[in-house]
Amino acid sequence: MPNPAPAGPPDPAPRLSRAPLHQQIRQFILEGLVTGRWGPGDRITERGVAQELGVSQAPVREALRVLETMELVECAPNRGARVRELSLQQLRDVYQVRAALERRAAELAAERLAGDVSSLEEPVRAMARAAREGDVDGQIEHAVAFHRAIVHACGVPALIRHWEWLGVEAWTRLSLRRLRTGLHENAEDHEAITEAVRRRDPYLGRLMELHVTDYARLTTES
């Protein structure tokens, strides 16, 4: 009787995200808000989300608390969370805070990058490509990737955390869906910022601030 064939290598273990569980759950809920799975007034229960994801209710509760601080849901004891209506004023407030953070981040990042803008060039190219193809989600995704690259290059963990807390991509997509704001993602603006980073332009921070506050101006005109 022939010897059995040697067993092959074991299947690789699934790769788990290194992000804390509550952050992964928050992203799951955010995606549901953006896609319309949950709309204004809908309830999101800790038990329901926990059962769907196969987790305990504790990280779901923590994720919902973060979303409450972002003013996307309202939490009530023993009643879960209810999706909030969004307002243009909320959106303008987010952009004002974002502008202040990104101004400082750009100034610090320019020094640390020392003229190396390779991490910025690909998002700009991808943004232009998405615009030519009429891919709105792609434009938003790559624009946020551009801004995230600058923020993460600043080297200040507290600034990075506060910027990530704003949920820039989610707010942009929600404003398009619910508030019918216009899309303001063009590659030319981002090319100018890239060049300013390359040159370490002393006015880079102000340029970035004006770029971000322009989003707030557009929401005012909506």
Side-chain angles (χ1 to χ4, degrees):
M1 181 176 180
N3 293 328
D11 293 335
R15 297 184 63 184
L16 300 178
S17 171
R18 294 186 178 183
L21 186 56
H22 72 90
Q23 289 184 14
Q24 297 179 60
I25 296 169
R26 183 191 68 174
Q27 189 59 41
F28 169 79
I29 298 173
L30 274 175
E31 190 63 27
L33 296 176
V34 168
T35 59
R37 174 179 179 178
W38 294 295
D42 289 347
R43 288 186 62 205
I44 304 175
T45 65
E46 294 174 11
R47 178 177 296 179
V49 174
Q51 288 179 342
E52 181 173 354
L53 299 180
V55 298
S56 68
Q57 290 183 219
V60 178
R61 187 178 308 119
E62 188 172 359
L64 289 172
R65 284 174 180 163
V66 174
L67 293 173
E68 184 177 31
T69 65
M70 294 172 66
E71 300 185 347
L72 295 176
V73 303
E74 294 175 305
C75 298
N78 304 316
R79 296 179 61 185
R82 191 173 297 277
V83 180
R84 292 185 58 167
E85 293 279 358
L86 300 184
S87 70
L88 287 172
Q89 185 57 54
Q90 284 176 286
L91 187 61
R92 287 192 288 267
D93 289 347
V94 167
Y95 282 128
Q96 292 297 325
V97 173
R98 177 184 166 189
L101 291 174
E102 292 200 28
R103 174 174 183 154
R104 186 56 179 151
E107 293 168 343
L108 294 170
E111 291 301 315
R112 297 184 77 243
L113 291 173
D116 179 4
V117 294
S118 55
S119 62
L120 307 180
E121 291 172 331
E122 176 51 34
V124 173
R125 287 193 294 267
M127 198 186 318
R129 187 164 56 246
R132 290 194 300 269
E133 296 171 356
D135 180 2
V136 172
D137 283 342
Q139 285 179 266
I140 295 171
E141 176 188 349
H142 299 305
V144 173
F146 174 91
H147 287 270
R148 177 173 282 114
I150 291 178
V151 171
H152 280 238
C154 80
V156 181
L159 193 159
I160 296 169
R161 284 196 304 272
H162 280 79
W163 186 88
E164 291 289 354
W165 173 84
L166 290 174
V168 172
E169 184 170 355
W171 267 105
T172 303
R173 292 170 66 191
L174 281 169
S175 70
L176 286 169
R177 179 182 178 85
R178 295 196 198 163
L179 302 176
R180 301 293 185 246
T181 56
L183 180 67
H184 180 61
E185 302 292 3
N186 61 78
E188 289 79 9
D189 285 357
H190 296 80
E191 287 171 354
I193 294 170
T194 300
E195 185 57 31
V197 173
R198 188 197 310 274
R199 298 194 315 265
R200 300 193 219 182
D201 190 319
Y203 297 103
L204 169 62
R206 181 59 176 161
L207 176 64
M208 178 64 85
E209 182 180 31
L210 291 173
H211 169 72
V212 175
T213 54
D214 196 40
Y215 291 92
R217 180 185 61 78
L218 288 174
T219 63
T220 304
E221 296 174 354
S222 299

